[in-house]
Amino acid sequence: MSNDSVTTSLTRVQTGRDAKERLYRWLLFSCTALTVLVTLSILGTLAYDTITFFDFDHVEVVSFLTGTEWNSRTGTFGILPLVSSTLIVTVVSAAIAIPIGTAAAVYLSEYASPRMRSVLKPALEILAGIPTVVYGFLALVYLSPWLRAAGVPVGTFNLLSASIMVGILIVPMVSSLSEDAMSAVPEELREAGYGLGATKFEVSTKVVIPAAVSGIFSSYILAISRAIGETMIVVMAGGMMARLLNVTNPFENLFNSGQTMTAAMVHAVTSDATGASAEFYSMFAIGLTLFAITFLMNLLSNRIAARYREEYQ
């Protein structure tokens, strides 16, 4: 075969490879652009319908953001009671999930054998795969009666039961992501700690966790964002009574019914309100507010992760 034929064949092969690479690049770019387009479309829809909501004569932006009463049937739209109930559920669920999830992550990363980890980690992550409606049913039918039997003065619908179940729901998110961050810490750091005479617990708490703090904190923020957006558990177990946080006695809110932002959205879309009413369009205003809260939390998570990220060679 002549040199010209070989050169022509190699050129043809290289041209085909270049064409495939361009095709792959455009396919990957299309997938990326599609996700961005979907996000922007959702945000645009929320913004447009929120503007429609504020076009009603009796709805003002200031009263919506600062109002202390929410009663969609009477046209009173103050979002603070919904925000306060959402924050109660988020804080209590985080107080349950963060210590349990972090402790589970430390055990899986530092104490468990590879065989034990291969069994426990998938078993723990199964919790995240259980439908949230099941959690809501368990909270309503079993957890609330158990709390009353234990002497806790909770009502049939209460934020405490909902918060506990949401906390159980987000434990796998905290434990799995935190364990991944801890496992990424180089083994040399652990060996250096052992070389200085540290125990396994000291290495875990004073070497591994500080080295993986950016990933661990990111798991906290993602889990909290998941708790803020949880719907079915708070709808089934939390109730639909919008209550403003009683600062002097927060247990009053925790032991009684409360309506979160997601529960209010469900009520707006499932009620007998017409599609042209302020009650219906309030769902989009709540959704945009919820989007803004979760976006700010994720932005904060990225900033903190970038600030404390450790890079190893």
Side-chain angles (χ1 to χ4, degrees), residues 114-133:
R115 182 177 180 181
M116 183 67 71
R117 185 184 300 112
S118 65
V119 174
L120 289 181
K121 189 172 182 180
L124 186 62
E125 292 175 346
I126 288 177
L127 290 174
I130 298 176
T132 56
V133 66

Side-chain angles (χ1 to χ4, degrees), residues 5 16 18 36 38-39 44 97 147 224 233-235 243 251 260 267 286 291:
S5 299
D18 291 342
V36 175
V38 170
T39 302
L147 291 175
I224 290 172
I233 296 176
V234 294
V235 169
R243 299 173 185 269
F251 290 102
T260 64
H267 181 267
I286 299 171
F291 178 89

Side-chain angles (χ1 to χ4, degrees), residues 1-13:
M1 182 179 294
S2 64
N3 291 334
D4 292 340
S5 299
V6 173
T7 302
T8 302
S9 178
L10 292 176
T11 302
R12 186 179 298 111
V13 171

